[in-house]
Amino acid sequence: LKMSAHATIIRAAVGFVYPAYKSLQAVMSDERADALTWLRYWVVLAVVSLVETVADPLFDFFPGYLLGKCIFLVWCMAPSEKSGANLLFTQIIFPLFKKHHEDIDFQAKIVHDSVMQKIERYVYGKQRKW
Protein backbone atom coordinates (compact mmCIF):
# COMPACT_ATOMS: atom_id res chain seq x y z
CA LEU A 1 0.00 0.00 0.00
CA LYS A 2 1.67 3.19 -1.20
CA MET A 3 1.32 6.50 0.61
CA SER A 4 -2.11 7.84 -0.35
CA ALA A 5 -3.15 11.36 -1.17
CA HIS A 6 -4.59 11.57 2.35
CA ALA A 7 -1.19 10.77 3.81
CA THR A 8 0.42 13.46 1.69
CA ILE A 9 -2.14 16.00 2.91
CA ILE A 10 -1.61 14.97 6.55
CA ARG A 11 2.17 15.23 6.21
CA ALA A 12 1.89 18.62 4.52
CA ALA A 13 -0.48 19.91 7.19
CA VAL A 14 1.83 18.80 9.99
CA GLY A 15 5.00 19.96 8.26
CA PHE A 16 3.80 23.26 6.81
CA VAL A 17 0.67 24.81 8.32
CA TYR A 18 1.71 25.30 11.95
CA PRO A 19 5.34 26.15 11.08
CA ALA A 20 4.20 28.71 8.51
CA TYR A 21 1.90 30.32 11.07
CA LYS A 22 4.65 30.42 13.71
CA SER A 23 7.13 31.76 11.15
CA LEU A 24 4.81 34.63 10.30
CA GLN A 25 4.40 35.39 13.99
CA ALA A 26 8.20 35.33 14.42
CA VAL A 27 8.67 37.76 11.54
CA MET A 28 6.15 40.12 13.13
CA SER A 29 7.83 39.98 16.53
CA ASP A 30 11.02 41.71 17.58
CA GLU A 31 12.54 38.44 18.80
CA ARG A 32 15.43 37.53 16.51
CA ALA A 33 15.74 34.16 18.27
CA ASP A 34 12.21 33.19 17.19
CA ALA A 35 12.97 34.00 13.57
CA LEU A 36 16.21 32.00 13.70
CA THR A 37 14.40 29.04 15.24
CA TRP A 38 11.94 28.90 12.38
CA LEU A 39 14.62 29.57 9.77
CA ARG A 40 16.46 26.50 11.08
CA TYR A 41 13.24 24.51 10.86
CA TRP A 42 12.74 25.43 7.18
CA VAL A 43 16.34 24.53 6.31
CA VAL A 44 15.96 21.17 8.03
CA LEU A 45 12.59 20.61 6.32
CA ALA A 46 14.19 21.27 2.93
CA VAL A 47 16.90 18.68 3.62
CA VAL A 48 14.34 16.20 4.97
CA SER A 49 12.18 16.71 1.88
CA LEU A 50 15.15 15.86 -0.34
CA VAL A 51 15.83 12.72 1.70
CA GLU A 52 12.13 11.80 1.47
CA THR A 53 12.30 11.66 -2.32
CA VAL A 54 14.56 8.63 -1.91
CA ALA A 55 13.20 7.25 1.38
CA ASP A 56 9.46 7.37 0.69
CA PRO A 57 9.42 4.77 -2.12
CA LEU A 58 11.57 2.46 0.02
CA PHE A 59 9.71 2.78 3.33
CA ASP A 60 6.17 4.02 2.75
CA PHE A 61 4.75 0.49 2.91
CA PHE A 62 5.89 0.08 6.53
CA PRO A 63 3.03 0.43 9.00
CA GLY A 64 3.47 3.59 10.99
CA TYR A 65 5.83 5.26 8.51
CA LEU A 66 3.54 8.30 8.12
CA LEU A 67 3.04 8.49 11.89
CA GLY A 68 6.81 8.33 12.36
CA LYS A 69 7.35 11.14 9.87
CA CYS A 70 4.73 13.29 11.59
CA ILE A 71 6.26 12.64 15.02
CA PHE A 72 9.67 13.55 13.59
CA LEU A 73 8.29 16.84 12.21
CA VAL A 74 6.65 17.69 15.53
CA TRP A 75 10.00 17.01 17.26
CA CYS A 76 11.67 19.31 14.72
CA MET A 77 9.29 22.17 15.53
CA ALA A 78 9.28 21.65 19.30
CA PRO A 79 9.98 24.87 21.24
CA SER A 80 13.16 23.61 22.84
CA GLU A 81 16.92 23.90 22.54
CA LYS A 82 16.87 20.14 21.92
CA SER A 83 14.30 20.29 19.14
CA GLY A 84 15.02 18.18 16.11
CA ALA A 85 15.49 21.18 13.86
CA ASN A 86 17.94 22.82 16.24
CA LEU A 87 19.97 19.65 16.77
CA LEU A 88 20.05 18.62 13.10
CA PHE A 89 20.87 22.16 11.97
CA THR A 90 23.63 22.88 14.51
CA GLN A 91 25.17 19.40 14.64
CA ILE A 92 24.96 18.23 11.02
CA ILE A 93 23.64 20.62 8.37
CA PHE A 94 25.42 23.86 9.28
CA PRO A 95 28.84 22.25 9.93
CA LEU A 96 28.61 20.45 6.58
CA PHE A 97 27.56 23.65 4.86
CA LYS A 98 30.42 25.62 6.43
CA LYS A 99 32.89 22.98 5.31
CA HIS A 100 31.59 22.76 1.73
CA HIS A 101 29.91 26.12 1.07
CA GLU A 102 32.48 27.26 -1.52
CA ASP A 103 31.95 24.11 -3.58
CA ILE A 104 28.19 24.45 -3.17
CA ASP A 105 28.34 28.09 -4.28
CA PHE A 106 30.45 27.13 -7.31
CA GLN A 107 28.03 24.37 -8.34
CA ALA A 108 25.03 26.65 -7.75
CA LYS A 109 26.59 29.25 -10.06
CA ILE A 110 27.09 26.63 -12.76
CA VAL A 111 23.45 25.54 -12.48
CA HIS A 112 22.24 29.17 -12.41
CA ASP A 113 24.25 30.11 -15.49
CA SER A 114 23.11 27.01 -17.37
CA VAL A 115 19.45 27.62 -16.56
CA MET A 116 19.72 31.30 -17.51
CA GLN A 117 21.32 30.38 -20.85
CA LYS A 118 18.52 27.95 -21.59
CA ILE A 119 15.89 30.54 -20.69
CA GLU A 120 17.66 33.11 -22.88
CA ARG A 121 17.73 30.72 -25.83
CA TYR A 122 14.09 29.84 -25.33
CA VAL A 123 12.82 33.40 -24.82
CA TYR A 124 15.13 35.40 -27.08
CA GLY A 125 16.57 32.77 -29.38
CA LYS A 126 20.09 33.87 -28.46
CA GLN A 127 22.51 33.94 -25.56
CA ARG A 128 23.33 36.89 -23.33
CA LYS A 129 25.87 37.17 -20.55
CA TRP A 130 24.45 37.64 -17.07
Side-chain angles (χ1 to χ4, degrees):
L1 188 82
K2 295 266 183 199
M3 196 159 45
S4 69
H6 291 89
T8 303
I9 292 169
I10 291 168
R11 189 259 184 237
V14 171
F16 295 117
V17 175
Y18 179 75
Y21 173 72
K22 294 302 285 184
S23 296
L24 289 169
Q25 282 186 324
V27 169
M28 289 175 46
S29 81
D30 293 332
E31 290 295 322
R32 184 172 186 263
D34 289 345
L36 286 175
T37 295
W38 288 106
L39 180 61
R40 286 185 191 108
Y41 173 82
W42 291 112
V43 170
V44 169
L45 184 66
V47 171
V48 167
S49 294
L50 288 173
V51 170
E52 281 180 332
T53 60
V54 174
D56 279 355
L58 300 173
F59 300 114
D60 70 351
F61 61 89
F62 282 115
Y65 179 63
L66 174 63
L67 178 61
K69 283 184 3 177
C70 289
I71 290 169
F72 172 78
L73 291 172
V74 169
W75 175 59
C76 282
M77 65 182 85
S80 164
E81 294 254 341
K82 296 188 183 205
S83 73
N86 195 40
L87 290 174
L88 291 170
F89 183 86
T90 59
Q91 300 299 313
I92 298 170
I93 297 170
F94 192 62
L96 282 172
F97 180 77
K98 278 175 57 174
K99 182 176 180 182
H100 300 288
H101 75 92
E102 290 174 351
D103 294 332
I104 294 168
D105 290 346
F106 180 74
Q107 293 300 320
K109 183 173 177 4
I110 291 171
V111 170
H112 172 269
D113 291 348
S114 175
V115 168
M116 295 311 288
Q117 286 176 354
K118 287 174 178 46
I119 291 170
E120 280 283 323
R121 269 188 254 134
Y122 180 76
V123 172
Y124 302 109
K126 61 181 176 180
Q127 284 185 312
R128 288 161 76 187
K129 285 200 170 190
W130 293 96

